[in-house]
Amino acid sequence: MKTILIIITFLFTFNVSAQDPILQKDHKALEAVATKITKTYDDQLGLDGKQFILFEKKVEEFLIKEENIHGQFEGEEKLNMLYKLRKAETLEMRNVLTQPQFDLYKRIKPQLQPIAMIISTDDTDHK
């Protein structure tokens, strides 16, 4: 019996120490941005305490991934990668939000978290 207890304790120790390597780096600035974004969504979605924490962690995780994309890609490829990332983020939020919250989230996300703005210096629009 004592052996079984030791084995179970050993397994739980490994399970607790396993963390997402993306979130292990020090990203204090992104954590602050994630909190701000989550508070903005919370005003409209009415997140409960557990949802707020999960939502904030997901936002932070995807901000870190977005930062990596900005550093590695350019132009159309970067926009495509950001689009795919935002789509994945939306799908993951389905696990955090209730269905009515998720429906509202999908509607307000483009205004609260636009992918990118394209600034054209082409004069063809003005003619």
Side-chain angles (χ1 to χ4, degrees):
M1 182 70 175
K2 190 175 183 180
T3 308
I4 293 173
L5 251 132
I6 291 172
I7 291 172
I8 290 173
T9 305
F10 186 68
L11 290 174
F12 278 115
T13 305
F14 278 120
N15 198 14
V16 170
S17 66
Q19 295 179 3
D20 190 348
I22 291 174
L23 297 177
Q24 286 181 355
K25 295 180 183 175
D26 187 26
H27 292 284
K28 290 293 182 191
L30 292 179
E31 187 177 322
V33 172
T35 301
K36 183 179 177 184
I37 290 170
T38 303
K39 285 180 180 178
T40 304
Y41 277 107
D42 185 35
D43 290 341
Q44 296 189 36
L45 298 176
L47 303 171
D48 66 28
K50 185 177 178 182
Q51 283 178 314
F52 189 92
I53 293 167
L54 293 171
F55 194 97
E56 183 180 30
K57 289 299 175 193
K58 282 293 173 196
V59 169
E60 183 180 355
E61 176 185 335
F62 281 93
L63 284 173
I64 293 167
K65 291 177 181 180
E66 182 177 337
E67 187 178 72
N68 292 335
I69 289 172
H70 284 293
Q72 294 177 9
F73 300 97
E74 291 184 7
E76 188 176 337
E77 186 179 17
K78 179 164 113 176
L79 287 175
N80 288 336
M81 296 294 289
L82 289 172
Y83 175 78
K84 289 176 184 176
L85 182 68
R86 289 294 169 91
K87 197 171 181 178
E89 180 182 29
T90 300
L91 289 174
E92 292 221 12
M93 289 304 183
R94 178 174 237 136
N95 298 327
V96 175
L97 304 171
T98 64
Q99 189 61 48
Q101 287 173 323
F102 183 69
D103 292 340
L104 179 58
Y105 169 76
K106 288 192 315 186
R107 284 198 314 262
I108 63 176
K109 185 177 180 178
Q111 289 81 35
L112 297 180
Q113 290 180 282
I115 292 177
M117 293 181 67
I118 299 174
I119 300 171
S120 175
T121 57
D122 188 11
D123 289 336
T124 57
D125 294 337
H126 301 292
K127 294 183 181 180

